[in-house]
Amino acid sequence: MLSVEMPTTYYTTTKKYDLHFPNLENDIDVDVVIIGGGFSGVNTGLELIERGVKSIAILETNYIGFGGSGRNGGHIMAGIGHDLDRIKKFVGEDGLNTIFEISDSGSRIIKERIQKYNIDADVVWGYGYLGFNNRQAKLLRQWEKEYRSINNDVEIEFLEGEAVKKIVGSDVYTCALKHMGNGHFHSLNMLLGSAKAFTEQGGKIFEYSPAVEVTYGETIKVRTPKGSVKAKKLLWSCGAFLNRLEPYLDKKTINTYAFQLMTEPLSDEIIHRISPIRGAFSDVRPVIDYYRVTNENRLLFGSATALTEYIPSDLKKWNRDLMLKVFPYLKDTHVDLAWGGPMECSATLFPQIGNHPEHKNVFFVQGYSGFGVTPSHVISQVVADGMMEGSKYWDVISNIPKASVWGKEHFKSLLLTTAKFIHQLEGYANGRR
Ligand SMILES: Cc1cc2nc3c(=O)[nH]c(=O)nc-3n(C[C@H](O)[C@H](O)[C@H](O)COP(=O)(O)OP(=O)(O)OC[C@H]3O[C@@H](n4cnc5c(N)ncnc54)[C@H](O)[C@@H]3O)c2cc1C
């Protein structure tokens, strides 16, 4: 059975930062308290401290990177949300244009942060978006135009037929969009490097210090098992691990699962066959296969259940079967590790940010819907805007309505299976199938 308690992952076994933060064991006063130590919490903390907010505390139930931020594929991708068309009806043409302005800035922010703080995140540039048929080729040609319009200094090239093998060694694809401004990194090292930068500038992080009770007011009080924090502002950034601690937020998302495997180290020849550019890849189907090679010549291969919601009983085998459909020549390759984790999905599949309706000093970010690695770097800037002086990006994104998911306590699997079915049908309409 999948362990979501304390998963061992590629990231936990290869991390380069040996950082440990104390438990909160006393009562402290800060300007901002952040609950949740993933990309959302740490990145927003760093954004705030860079803007001059000096007194910030991040509380984390386990360790920094325990959640999705330490379990994902490590893909640095284009965009800040699944199909922007889903939110067009809420934000209108102008709102969509405003979002589009920042939609592709994630890779740039990651690149700048790595340089600024000298973060050792094994970053590699080179990405392929992959298709299986003519409809997906049409979609990828459209993406080529869009991406080129906002990335004129980056190599972006549509590939078809045998040319696809220039970037990925598989017979299953008929087309690809090569994007050399996207790529992959070691997401836990990226997160820990950012956490280090945050604490070096005076930010405080407390691990194994869950928020267990929160009282709102002009001064917010957060209680942990052994201490407490008083703050003027609070940010909820708990991802799929919020539970019911904040009922207003808990209603707005529903958790589904994604899984990953890590192969044994492969020879240089096999890695070259898998990907001459040592890149990261995802297909464009509604539920994607996504994979990449690592610095140690391993393949990380991930996916999620496409139609019905369940946790496979043998994760290594389940992922391996999918991997062999794409790379049959890996049939003798040993799978060293497999893991997974929950991802909180919003009804629009777009990240949710905003204020608590009754408490304007309470902010939140959640709902990345399985696409948060790159987007969280952009969205955290927008959340920091919202917590400070505001911005047009905050205004547009925070005003997107957030539908509640009713009945998830009793009918979670049914709701998710239905949602996945609809998502697959929509895939036909938007060229993803
Ligand atoms: C297996 C898997 C593969 C994925 N692959 C990709 C991918 O390739 N590309 C991509 O873009 N996205 C991917 N994702 C999604 C991505 O990882 C997430 O969207 C992103 O990391 C979310 O970051 P976050 O900070 O919002 O949440 P998290 O990283 O989950 O952090 C939330 C943190 O809050 C803490 N917390 C919760 N409650 C409390 C409390 N009461 N007190 C204190 N702390 C609390 C949790 O312990 C957790 O550490 C994947 C996710 C999974 C699980």
Side-chain angles (χ1 to χ4, degrees):
M1 201 52 176
L2 171 75
S3 166
V4 293
E5 305 302 326
M6 286 288 160
T8 303
T9 71
Y10 162 69
Y11 300 104
T12 55
T13 50
T14 57
K15 68 177 175 160
K16 293 176 183 163
Y17 291 88
D18 191 24
L19 290 182
H20 302 279
F21 301 103
N23 293 6
L24 181 65
E25 294 192 331
N26 50 2
D27 303 323
I28 60 169
D29 277 82
V30 292
D31 290 333
V32 177
V33 61
I34 295 176
I35 304 181
F39 277 131
S40 296
V42 171
N43 286 344
T44 309
L46 192 52
E47 291 287 343
L48 289 171
I49 224 156
E50 285 178 346
R51 292 165 197 220
V53 184
K54 287 294 172 209
S55 174
I56 308 172
I58 298 178
L59 300 176
E60 168 53 49
T61 297
N62 296 292
Y63 52 86
I64 293 294
F66 164 82
S69 303
R71 306 183 194 201
N72 57 72
H75 289 215
I76 306 171
M77 299 171 75
I80 52 170
H82 301 266
D83 304 319
L84 290 185
D85 275 349
R86 276 173 180 274
I87 52 162
K88 190 173 175 184
K89 62 177 179 237
F90 302 119
V91 300
E93 196 71 42
D94 286 351
L96 211 56
N97 288 337
T98 303
I99 294 173
F100 196 64
E101 282 173 25
I102 52 167
S103 69
D104 217 16
S105 50
S107 321
R108 179 186 50 76
I109 296 169
I110 289 168
K111 198 180 279 180
E112 286 171 2
R113 185 155 297 159
I114 287 174
Q115 275 166 4
K116 181 170 181 183
Y117 295 113
N118 202 14
I119 298 174
D120 193 355
D122 294 350
V123 69
V124 175
W125 298 106
Y127 203 95
Y129 299 93
L130 306 166
F132 300 88
N133 55 41
N134 288 341
R135 287 166 57 73
Q136 293 172 343
K138 198 172 154 207
L139 180 72
L140 289 175
R141 281 190 187 281
Q142 184 191 319
W143 285 10
E144 182 190 24
K145 271 196 211 127
E146 286 171 15
Y147 294 165
R148 279 195 174 160
S149 74
I150 41 180
N151 289 288
N152 45 20
D153 55 342
V154 164
E155 184 191 345
I156 295 172
E157 185 189 4
F158 177 77
L159 304 168
E160 218 163 3
E162 276 302 299
V164 173
K165 297 231 174 69
K166 285 202 273 186
I167 59 169
V168 64
S170 173
D171 291 327
V172 298
Y173 306 112
T174 60
C175 51
L177 184 64
K178 176 183 176 188
H179 190 323
M180 294 309 284
N182 291 168
H184 55 92
F185 62 9
H186 188 296
S187 65
L188 188 56
N189 285 338
M190 181 69 202
L191 179 66
L192 291 173
S194 305
K196 183 166 172 274
F198 170 73
T199 50
E200 282 172 356
Q201 292 172 79
K204 293 186 172 64
I205 295 181
F206 298 99
E207 289 181 318
Y208 300 100
S209 304
V212 291
E213 188 180 74
V214 179
T215 314
Y216 295 148
E218 203 172 319
T219 299
I220 296 161
K221 289 182 201 145
V222 182
R223 195 170 62 74
T224 65
K226 295 182 186 163
S228 73
V229 186
K230 279 188 192 158
K232 297 186 189 79
K233 291 179 185 173
L234 178 149
L235 174 69
W236 287 101
S237 54
C238 297
F241 298 85
L242 174 70
N243 276 319
R244 293 180 195 151
L245 193 56
E246 212 316 326
Y248 166 76
L249 294 181
D250 185 58
K251 282 202 295 251
K252 305 292 181 196
T253 63
I254 184 166
N255 284 357
T256 182
Y257 282 85
F259 315 106
Q260 284 270 316
L261 69 67
M262 173 182 91
T263 67
E264 63 182 317
L266 303 168
S267 66
D268 285 342
E269 291 72 34
I270 297 277
I271 287 293
H272 189 76
R273 188 170 175 195
I274 291 172
S275 174
I277 61 168
R278 300 188 67 96
F281 300 89
S282 55
D283 61 61
V284 297
R285 291 175 301 180
V287 176
I288 59 173
D289 286 342
Y290 57 104
Y291 49 88
R292 71 175 177 99
V293 297
T294 73
N295 256 15
E296 307 80 6
N297 272 10
R298 296 177 189 272
L299 179 69
L300 296 191
F301 193 98
S303 193
T305 55
L307 263 179
T308 33
E309 173 66 10
Y310 67 98
I311 297 174
S313 55
D314 184 345
L315 261 193
K316 279 188 182 172
K317 181 181 178 320
W318 188 84
N319 263 315
R320 186 171 179 277
D321 289 348
L322 292 173
M323 177 184 79
L324 291 184
K325 283 189 185 160
V326 181
F327 301 113
Y329 51 85
L330 295 183
K331 64 180 184 333
D332 295 325
T333 298
H334 186 258
V335 173
D336 277 354
L337 210 55
W339 67 92
M343 311 182 301
E344 80 291 6
C345 294
S346 66
T348 57
L349 300 183
F350 199 79
Q352 298 176 334
I353 61 175
N355 298 95
H356 190 288
E358 289 154 31
H359 305 280
K360 295 299 166 202
N361 56 351
V362 174
F363 298 79
F364 62 86
V365 51
Q366 62 177 16
Y368 284 106
S369 309
F371 178 31
V373 172
T374 319
S376 61
H377 289 78
V378 186
I379 291 290
S380 295
Q381 289 197 337
V382 180
V383 172
D385 290 345
M387 296 181 78
M388 302 283 285
E389 66 286 346
S391 71
K392 62 178 179 175
Y393 306 113
W394 168 261
D395 289 345
V396 173
I397 300 176
S398 66
N399 278 314
I400 298 172
K402 296 146 189 83
S404 295
V405 184
W406 297 106
K408 69 177 187 179
E409 293 78 12
H410 307 294
F411 309 112
K412 184 170 170 259
S413 294
L414 181 65
L415 286 171
L416 280 167
T417 300
T418 310
K420 284 189 168 182
F421 185 70
I422 294 169
H423 191 47
Q424 292 284 358
L425 283 180
E426 283 174 351
Y428 283 99
N430 59 28
R432 286 177 173 271
R433 291 206 56 97

